[in-house]
Amino acid sequence: YAWDANEEYLFKAMVAFALRRYSSKSTTQISNVLLCNVTDRVSFWFVVTDSSKNVTTVPGSEVEAAIRMNRNRINSAFLLSDKTLQFLKITSTLSPPVEPSTPVWLIVFGVVLCLIVAGIFFLVVAGVQQRKKKNKQSTERENLEEKGEVAVTVENGIPCETLDLKAGHINGVFAADDERFTSL
Amino acid sequence: LSVPPEIPKEDGRPKWDNKFQYILSCIGFAVGLGNVWRFPYLCQIHGGGAFLIPYFIALLFEGIPLLHLELALGQCLRKGSIGAWNAISPYLGGVGVGSWMVSVLVSLYYNTVLTWVMWYFINSFQEPLPWSVCPLNENRTGLNEECYESTTVNYFWYRKTLNITPDVTESGTLQWWLILCLAACWAIVYLCTIRGIETTGKAIYVTAIFPYLVLTIFLIHGLTLPGATDGLAYLFTPNLNTLKNPRVWLDAATQIFFSLSLAFGGLIAFSSYNPQKNDCEKDAVTVAIVNSMTSLYASIPVFSVLGFKATTGYWDCLDRNIISIINEFDLPEESIMRQNYTAWISFLNSSYPEKIAGLKLKSCDLQEFLDQSVSGTGLAFIIFTQAIILMPGSQAWAILFFIMLFSLGLSSMFGNIEGVFTPLLELPMISKSIPKELLSGIICLICFLIALCFTLGSGSYWIDIFDSYAGSLPLLVIAFFEVIGVAYVYKIKRFSKDVKWMTGRKPNLYWQITWRFISPLLLLIVFVTFVTLQIQKPSSYAAWNPKHEGFPMKEEKVYPPWVLAICVLLAVLPCVFVPLVALFHLIKRMCRNKDPSFVPPAVFSCQGANS
């Protein structure tokens, strides 16, 4: 927006408002604030006169303190920030950065660690189970070989006895039809 | 979900699920962090496009022959590095032990770099990013002094991450946050390598392919950033004058060598799980070309982002000057823009020279910003993080970038750990009694405990030491003995017959010449030049010392004698096994010669192993 007489009026009003709030006397008027040396850069000097004591200006420290207290309101009136609206000799106090109670990175770390530990646990347990199954199979085969001197026939790594008894279907077409077989 | 039972070959050795897994593992091992942060830097300082000439010559005469040699060796002998070299000749067993030792040393410090990547990754979920703001000092009147003097990214890296001490002799304390991340990293490595190639083979699908996706995303985004074209032009403009400097040729040769991860024993381990009838010649050429292409492909987004950062820095410099001029001369806003800045400056200089001099304006030069070249951890953790802050949506870019770095490093770690794991698994006393899961757990635990010393305040100085001394010189020595061993002890004729049996065709003239003469000669020249250059300049390091006068510039310090002794020990320890083992076997043979019942061991042959 362009800087014109209306904006200057608003500025005078804000300074008066700041002084009123700071010193809590309601005698400061907009006409007490005087602007001078306005340049195209939009920079100027201003003084605040005190109407109760004739032709004297409010001391600079008081004005500085008043503006510092109400800096936020003055900034937002002009839609500017501490960087874009600069009062010479008034430095802004810095607000501390927002710090959450638990640092965010710790939360993320916790999630990652839980996933990793779950993965390791799962893999180790699966490996142990697989090893137990392999051991059981090899001891079963050894036991069968010991009991009968019959050689254990193996089909695809599975002993034939187990194939007959436990798994697999008996195909009725081939098993039941005895007449098909030629007699010896 | 059940783990499928492994179907071993007749000799009980595990094998890859398919050829693609094997190729991907080799590529993942070769393509690592160096492709992203070392190659673009070398391209930049050695004359841009002109660097590609010595790079491809080194690839052709050094990289590909050595790669083929290692892959063929592992495939033929079907053993890890120690077993393979023992089989070639007992006198060369030291070469295998040397590679094993180097793999151990490199695994230790490499995972600590991944720890840093992980730390940055878990910090990328905050808004605003923690490396973009300075914390306040104690009485809240201003910003923290160390942060204010240097930049926010420098402060986050040196203080919040490393908590670095000003000197390598001051160890400082253990940084608990780094210990947590280190434990997590070693847990991830354990998770992926728990059963050797069965588990890494599954993990490699993700860790080897994902970086390419992210690189493509960064490529597309990087090219749209302002200033990207300046960065790319700077990178690729060839300056053929640099080829006269021998340093360029040395850097090209060493870069090819370390980039392909030769002489670690990891490649021998990977190819030992292959079926013997496999075309290792094609594999070697494929892996080498993919590795080089990845380096080139990665340098494009890296330099687009660097160009963007330089341009933004240049614009900031201009803007600060413009503000001070406008404030001084009370000119209206937007009267001086970046485009007419130079015109205004010359006008004001002629009319009000004293005022301009009084302002103390900094001279802004884009070339100067582009010239700030960094490689290694500085590129990733300082320069790139600074560029990421400037991009819109910085959290997403930071997360993507650090996941990419993590997968690149993790796939290389798989190769390192395989280089350690496979030879141990073949030792007779270990393979019978310990299950694989326990062995990999023990290896990861021991490495984690030793690597705790890298989480001290001086840890990053020690990692630089390990990187320069353990991860460079011994590899050259071991590779030299590898080529000499195969070419002159095992004899090239026998090796060619073995390769012909495996691939189906005899290795042609190119392989014969490079294996016999060119590669050993090249390695010898590189080794001698490397050592002379190392000895000539006194070994110094750059320390981060906030109390130094030149702060934020780093302080140049010299290593104290005991640190130098450790450096020499690191470089010599793997190499010393080569003569030691040869000597040991020589003495054993001399004792045996007096024994008449001694039968010399059978001559080993590739075809014989399968029957």
Side-chain angles (χ1 to χ4, degrees), chain B residues 8 69 79 139 291 322 350 428 437 455 463 572 589 606 610:
Chain B
L69 191 91
K79 286 206 164 66
N139 41 9
N291 181 51
I322 289 175
S350 47
E437 288 92 340
T455 58
I463 289 194
V572 162
R589 180 182 171 167
C606 202
N610 203 20

Side-chain angles (χ1 to χ4, degrees), chain A residues 39-41 43 86 94-97 104-106 108-109 112-113 116 119-120 122-124 126-127 130-131, chain B residues 3 119 122-123 125-126 136 142 176-177 180 184 187-188 190-191 194-195 326-327 330-333 435 437:
Chain A
T39 61
D40 277 340
R41 173 76 180 89
S43 66
Q86 217 181 357
L94 300 157
S95 56
V104 176
W105 68 264
L106 212 53
V108 180
F109 177 75
V112 169
L113 201 62
I116 300 171
I120 293 180
F122 170 73
L123 278 180
V124 167
Q130 185 205 349
R131 190 161 286 119
Chain B
V3 181
W119 165 252
I122 59 182
N123 269 300
F125 288 89
Q126 287 180 346
L136 302 174
W176 62 272
W177 57 91
L180 285 181
I188 294 182
Y190 177 52
L191 174 70
I194 194 168
R195 278 197 216 108
I326 288 185
N327 276 343
D330 273 336
L331 300 162
E333 282 285 334
E437 288 92 340

